Amino acid sequence: MSASEQPGAVMAGEMAEQPDVLRRILDEGAGPIRETARAVAARRPRFVLLSARGTSDNAALYAKYLLEIRRGLPCGLASMSTVTAYGARPDLTDVLMITVSQSGGSPDLVASTRAAREAGAVTLAVTNSPDSPLAAVCEFHIDVLAGPERALPATKTYTATLLALYLFVEGLAEGDGTAAAGLPGLAERVLGRQDEVRSLAARYRFAERMVLTSRGYGYPTAKEAALKLMETSYVPALAYSGADLLHGPLAMVDNISPVVAVVPDGRGGEALRPVLDRLRGRGADLCVVGHEAAVLGASAGFVLPTAGVAEEVQPILEILPLQLLAYEVTIARGQDPDAPRALAKVTETS
Amino acid sequence: MSASEQPGAVMAGEMAEQPDVLRRILDEGAGPIRETARAVAARRPRFVLLSARGTSDNAALYAKYLLEIRRGLPCGLASMSTVTAYGARPDLTDVLMITVSQSGGSPDLVASTRAAREAGAVTLAVTNSPDSPLAAVCEFHIDVLAGPERALPATKTYTATLLALYLFVEGLAEGDGTAAAGLPGLAERVLGRQDEVRSLAARYRFAERMVLTSRGYGYPTAKEAALKLMETSYVPALAYSGADLLHGPLAMVDNISPVVAVVPDGRGGEALRPVLDRLRGRGADLCVVGHEAAVLGASAGFVLPTAGVAEEVQPILEILPLQLLAYEVTIARGQDPDAPRALAKVTETS
């Protein structure tokens, strides 16, 4: 059996490439991204709309946190159907529209981005595909340089997109993104601990549902981890920001509901603390992916190397053990992470 | 046993009040709402941020569709932690911040709205509580006139908030919201068909998860229905826009996963059609809440009276059978819809 025929071999290979992809972006991508950021900043956008679906939507949400916190730019996530189904034509003067798509091929993204440009927006495509229709309709384009991705569950394009978006947002204010310098090495260390994740995965072998939560910069990670788990292992995985979890869905959590909390080392993690206390009070089985102190207070966990790592780049590391977890849970269930039923690599929604 | 001691009696009573509440808003609320809309329009906002949690967040999402489609105003849903945890202070000149909260009491909503006002936003509170701290920190306030709500699952405040937001958005362009005139009578007819919903509920007595989907104006309904189901019956209920469902979570749907689709009579419903075909192709058990033709093509459903009802006000009717469904599923499981475990009426997140 060739490596590519083994279940999950393609996804495993692509996850393992991530340190190299991050290194490539820092070495070759950072310069062009900084140039693009400078050109966009010169247009003085006052609002940002982010448009994406699936994994790219989680990357877009990360960019929303960065843009609001680090650049003070109010942001919104676009509801594409307002344009594609209802023909809305908002006035987008002073608006930067960032469309994030691994393939750059989804027709609704292309159509709504073209409409945004016609409506006055400055348009930026962030894709892994410089020759895509999406890149063609945008004024600006950032290539995330992840190389071809063949497994259906996106992994290396996700972390590549996060890093590219981070460098872009820093570049808007002439920042050089030095906080990202150590990420390739740290990613390598995290990915080297697959055995630890395999033990964790045993815990979820028979789980019928999972709840993921975080706050602040870690929230996109919780959403992306839920999507990975669903599209590979088919476990219904529900992601909530810690605050939203308390507004209703908490009722669903009991002592047989596994909860995975992503606890950033920083203000997001601090804001999550009362939520974790409530979860523990309800007898939830709590697994923490995050800094050491948070993991020690939980039923199980995975300690991330966060010392000296700025909170805003931690999401690029946080997702790695959770990608591995989705992979290992799926293998444990006898399924093939490379080929989830019902999915196609380029999703054609219109 | 007094009525209020019977499980679910409070929620049942509040659901039944909805036609009267809608009538009250049209009779007494519409004038003040139109005045408020006129005053806000005079400030010429160019971008709208909506801030809310839980049920109110679903109402805010409805307003986002209205504002984008009917007023051409680009919108974003606020990520409160950027302000409360990270201290972000974006420049909100020309921004209208609409904060939606039944109680108007949640500290993080009050703090982030106050910060928005200080940052230059025009602030509008939409609450069921004119004396609340939230109303006090906002320049403008709309009272949704639902009367005291005692059951933990919000029902009448949801439909009241939708109608108030509809009248507000119409009022921004001097519209009088006549499309809403027939809603109280139609709501009464829908709520009178509880027996039909009880039969539907039997279908979900043993469901271990549910998937809800819709598109366009119906998407907030799918999200709100999922929240109602989770907080009353504790069934993990996942809501996706039809397009997002195809980007990953579809893998989770198989022939034992019940799917409930909200199919608006209009462009949202048309845009959902290919998604429903995919779901049928996967053997999903599909229940449709929507117009008659869509229900006929499904395994089960609830026909809404949509003839002559503008698509943008259909959400005010769509949620009614789904509130009843959450109630009936919960009763069938021997639980009390009035008092979900773990929840408090005013959720204090900070």
Side-chain angles (χ1 to χ4, degrees):
Chain A
M1 194 190 272
S2 80
S4 68
E5 282 165 337
Q6 217 164 334
V10 181
M11 182 182 177
E14 289 173 351
M15 287 192 292
E17 280 177 49
Q18 292 178 100
D20 286 344
V21 172
L22 298 177
R23 219 167 265 128
R24 190 185 310 146
I25 297 169
L26 293 176
D27 291 348
E28 302 165 25
I33 292 172
R34 200 177 307 125
E35 287 310 306
T36 303
R38 193 171 289 149
V40 169
R43 305 285 286 279
R44 302 192 169 277
R46 295 186 47 210
F47 318 107
V48 183
L49 289 178
L50 297 136
S51 197
R53 292 207 185 277
T55 290
S56 297
D57 203 30
N58 299 327
L61 183 60
Y62 168 69
K64 180 176 192 287
Y65 280 92
L66 288 173
L67 287 159
E68 293 185 351
I69 296 169
R70 298 188 62 78
R71 294 290 83 82
L73 277 166
C75 295
L77 300 177
S79 304
M80 263 168 275
S81 69
T82 62
V83 172
T84 57
Y86 295 98
R89 288 293 177 272
D91 174 8
L92 298 182
T93 318
D94 298 332
V95 171
L96 167 63
M97 165 75 85
I98 303 179
T99 308
V100 185
S101 169
Q102 171 264 123
S103 71
S106 193
D108 57 348
L109 282 164
V110 175
S112 61
T113 304
R114 184 187 292 119
R117 188 170 183 180
E118 286 164 8
V122 176
T123 50
L124 168 66
V126 179
T127 80
N128 193 36
S129 180
D131 301 325
S132 60
L134 178 65
V137 300
C138 284
E139 188 177 358
F140 297 100
H141 176 244
I142 287 175
D143 183 351
V144 307
L145 298 172
E149 190 170 58
R150 290 163 48 226
L152 284 176
T155 54
K156 64 175 181 172
T157 53
Y158 180 67
T159 46
T161 303
L162 294 191
L163 179 54
L165 285 166
Y166 170 73
L167 294 172
F168 170 74
V169 174
E170 292 306 292
L172 286 176
E174 297 286 340
D176 57 3
T178 42
L183 292 175
L186 291 169
E188 210 157 291
R189 275 171 51 195
V190 170
L191 289 168
R193 291 158 60 197
Q194 188 153 356
D195 287 354
E196 278 182 57
V197 179
R198 197 169 298 132
S199 312
L200 263 187
R203 197 174 193 94
Y204 305 115
R205 170 70 180 87
F206 298 105
E208 286 174 353
R209 58 187 179 191
M210 293 178 71
V211 172
L212 291 104
T213 191
S214 187
R215 233 182 145 187
Y217 283 118
Y219 178 44
T221 308
K223 291 192 72 172
E224 171 61 8
L227 179 56
K228 271 324 89 156
L229 280 159
M230 276 194 295
E231 63 183 1
T232 56
S233 73
Y234 318 144
V235 189
L238 300 108
Y240 299 98
S241 90
D244 285 321
L245 187 61
L246 301 186
H247 285 255
L250 185 65
M252 194 188 51
V253 175
D254 57 26
N255 56 7
I256 60 157
S257 298
V259 178
V260 176
V262 178
V263 184
D265 192 353
R267 294 182 186 182
E270 283 160 34
L272 194 60
R273 207 178 302 165
V275 178
L276 301 184
D277 290 343
R278 283 287 291 280
L279 287 167
R280 269 187 290 259
R282 292 198 48 69
D285 180 282
L286 180 63
C287 169
V288 163
V289 173
H291 62 90
E292 188 159 19
V295 172
L296 288 174
S299 319
F302 186 98
V303 176
L304 284 174
T306 55
V309 181
E311 186 181 358
E312 60 268 23
V313 298
Q314 289 176 23
I316 299 168
L317 299 175
E318 282 162 2
I319 192 60
L320 301 174
L322 292 159
Q323 292 171 341
L324 293 173
L325 184 69
Y327 172 89
E328 292 290 350
V329 169
T330 306
I331 294 284
R333 293 181 175 217
Q335 296 154 204
D336 181 0
D338 286 342
R341 60 190 184 199
L343 299 184
K345 186 70 186 164
V346 180
T347 307
E348 303 243 335
T349 45
S350 56
Chain B
M1 195 193 272
S2 80
S4 68
E5 282 165 335
Q6 218 165 331
V10 181
M11 183 181 176
E14 291 174 350
M15 287 192 292
E17 281 177 48
Q18 293 178 100
D20 286 345
V21 171
L22 298 177
R23 220 168 264 127
R24 190 186 308 145
I25 297 169
L26 293 176
D27 291 347
E28 301 166 24
I33 291 172
R34 202 177 307 127
E35 287 311 306
T36 303
R38 194 171 290 151
V40 169
R43 305 285 288 278
R44 303 192 169 276
R46 294 188 44 211
F47 197 80
V48 183
L49 289 178
L50 297 135
S51 196
R53 291 206 186 280
T55 290
S56 298
D57 204 28
N58 299 327
L61 183 60
Y62 169 67
K64 180 176 192 286
Y65 280 93
L66 288 174
L67 287 159
E68 293 185 351
I69 296 169
R70 297 187 61 79
R71 294 290 83 80
L73 277 166
C75 296
L77 300 177
S79 305
M80 263 168 276
S81 70
T82 61
V83 172
T84 57
Y86 294 98
R89 288 294 177 269
D91 174 6
L92 298 182
T93 316
D94 298 330
V95 171
L96 166 63
M97 165 75 86
I98 303 179
T99 308
V100 186
S101 168
Q102 169 264 126
S103 71
S106 192
D108 56 347
L109 281 165
V110 175
S112 60
T113 305
R114 185 188 290 119
R117 189 171 182 179
E118 287 164 7
V122 176
T123 49
L124 167 66
V126 179
T127 81
N128 193 34
S129 180
D131 301 325
S132 61
L134 178 65
V137 300
C138 284
E139 188 178 355
F140 298 101
H141 176 243
I142 287 175
D143 184 350
V144 307
L145 298 172
E149 189 170 59
R150 290 161 50 227
L152 284 176
T155 55
K156 63 176 181 171
T157 53
Y158 180 67
T159 45
T161 302
L162 295 192
L163 178 54
L165 285 166
Y166 170 72
L167 294 172
F168 170 75
V169 174
E170 292 306 292
L172 285 176
E174 297 287 339
D176 56 5
T178 41
L183 293 175
L186 292 169
E188 211 156 288
R189 275 171 52 194
V190 170
L191 290 168
R193 292 158 59 196
Q194 187 152 357
D195 287 353
E196 280 181 55
V197 179
R198 197 169 299 129
S199 311
L200 264 188
R203 197 175 193 93
Y204 305 115
R205 169 71 181 85
F206 299 106
E208 285 175 355
R209 59 187 179 191
M210 293 177 71
V211 172
L212 291 103
T213 190
S214 187
R215 232 181 145 187
Y217 283 117
Y219 178 44
T221 308
K223 292 192 71 173
E224 172 61 6
L227 180 56
K228 272 322 89 152
L229 280 159
M230 276 196 291
E231 63 183 0
T232 55
S233 72
Y234 319 144
V235 188
L238 300 109
Y240 299 97
S241 90
D244 285 321
L245 186 61
L246 302 186
H247 285 256
L250 185 66
M252 194 188 51
V253 176
D254 56 26
N255 56 6
I256 60 157
S257 298
V259 177
V260 176
V262 177
V263 184
D265 192 353
R267 294 184 186 180
E270 284 158 36
L272 194 60
R273 204 177 304 164
V275 179
L276 300 184
D277 290 341
R278 285 287 292 278
L279 287 167
R280 271 188 288 259
R282 292 197 48 67
D285 180 283
L286 180 63
C287 168
V288 163
V289 173
H291 62 89
E292 189 160 15
V295 172
L296 288 174
S299 319
F302 186 98
V303 176
L304 284 174
T306 55
V309 181
E311 186 181 359
E312 59 268 24
V313 298
Q314 290 176 23
I316 299 169
L317 298 176
E318 281 161 1
I319 191 62
L320 301 174
L322 292 159
Q323 292 172 340
L324 292 174
L325 184 69
Y327 172 90
E328 292 290 352
V329 169
T330 307
I331 295 284
R333 293 181 176 217
Q335 296 156 203
D336 181 0
D338 286 342
R341 60 190 183 200
L343 300 184
K345 185 71 186 163
V346 180
T347 307
E348 304 241 337
T349 44
S350 56

